[in-house]
């Protein structure tokens, strides 16, 4: 049986496209954990941690807060389909909250647009918004909530 590949902080940082300081911060925050320590007491991280770190980086790009990321990742990797569905629903709830905050943030800007500009903005949003609303309605109907 071969040993799993383990990365020191610098290697992990380079692979994930973040700074070693970010790795330290995420480790101290409990978002990631070292697999083990080397003989020289270096923290060593696994491929699973690299995947988790890449997910954190993506969520940060999507403007999720650290608390939202922690909530999303707390169930990451569970095997039960009930747990998977529950986790996906939690992620959806977090994402919907993020979208709501973003809409509230841009609402003042949109309200100051000229009618023609606003029409162009809404023209681009309507197909995506309609698809999202339809997907949510299907989900709610299947769950017996509507």
């Amino acid at each position: 049986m071969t040993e799993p590949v383990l990365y020191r902080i610098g290697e992990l940082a380079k692979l994930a496209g973040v700074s070693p300081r970010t790795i330290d911060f995420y480790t101290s925050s409990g978002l990631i954990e070292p697999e083990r320590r080397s003989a020289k007491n270096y923290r060593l991280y696994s491929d699973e941690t690299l995947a988790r770190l890449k997910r954190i980086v993506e969520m940060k790009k999507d403007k999720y807060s650290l608390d939202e990321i922690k909530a999303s990742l707390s169930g990451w990797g569970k095997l039960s389909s009930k747990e998977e569905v529950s986790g996906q629903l939690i992620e959806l709830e977090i994402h919907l909250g993020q979208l709501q905050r973003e809409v509230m943030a841009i609402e003042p800007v949109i309200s100051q647009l000229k009618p023609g500009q606003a029409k162009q903005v809404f023209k681009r949003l309507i197909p995506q918004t309609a698809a999202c609303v339809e997907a949510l309605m299907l989900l709610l109907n299947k769950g017996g909530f509507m």
Side-chain angles (χ1 to χ4, degrees):
M1 190 162 99
T2 61
E3 274 292 303
V5 177
L6 296 175
Y7 309 100
R8 289 180 25 190
I9 290 176
E11 297 167 320
L12 184 68
K14 187 175 181 180
L15 290 168
V18 298
S19 71
R21 192 172 182 166
T22 299
I23 303 290
D24 285 334
F25 176 74
Y26 289 157
T27 301
S28 66
S29 299
L31 288 170
I32 60 173
E33 294 178 2
E35 186 73 23
R36 65 174 190 248
R37 294 230 178 220
S38 71
K40 293 185 178 182
N41 207 29
Y42 290 115
R43 286 175 283 177
L44 300 173
Y45 296 88
S46 67
D47 280 327
E48 183 179 320
T49 304
L50 176 60
R52 185 178 179 98
L53 183 57
K54 286 180 178 180
R55 183 168 171 97
I56 292 167
V57 169
E58 284 302 311
M59 292 180 80
K60 286 298 289 177
K61 282 181 189 172
D62 290 337
K63 300 190 186 321
Y64 284 90
S65 71
L66 285 179
D67 287 337
E68 290 170 329
I69 293 170
K70 282 181 185 179
S72 175
L73 294 177
S74 68
W76 204 43
K78 292 187 178 179
L79 300 177
S80 162
S81 62
K82 274 187 184 178
E83 289 172 340
E84 284 178 30
V85 170
S86 177
Q88 289 172 341
L89 289 173
I90 289 169
E91 284 189 41
L92 179 60
E93 183 180 7
I94 291 168
H95 192 66
L96 287 171
Q98 179 66 30
L99 287 173
Q100 184 178 12
R101 286 190 298 279
E102 289 176 15
V103 167
M104 290 171 60
I106 65 168
E107 193 278 328
V109 175
I110 290 175
S111 67
Q112 293 182 12
L113 292 175
K114 294 177 183 174
Q117 291 172 319
K119 186 175 182 178
Q120 288 292 356
V121 168
F122 290 120
K123 194 176 190 180
R124 286 184 294 202
L125 285 177
I126 287 174
Q128 296 166 340
T129 304
C132 182
V133 169
E134 185 178 348
L136 287 171
M137 293 300 291
L138 286 171
L139 179 65
L140 292 172
N141 284 332
K142 285 184 179 182
F145 300 112
M146 302 279 308

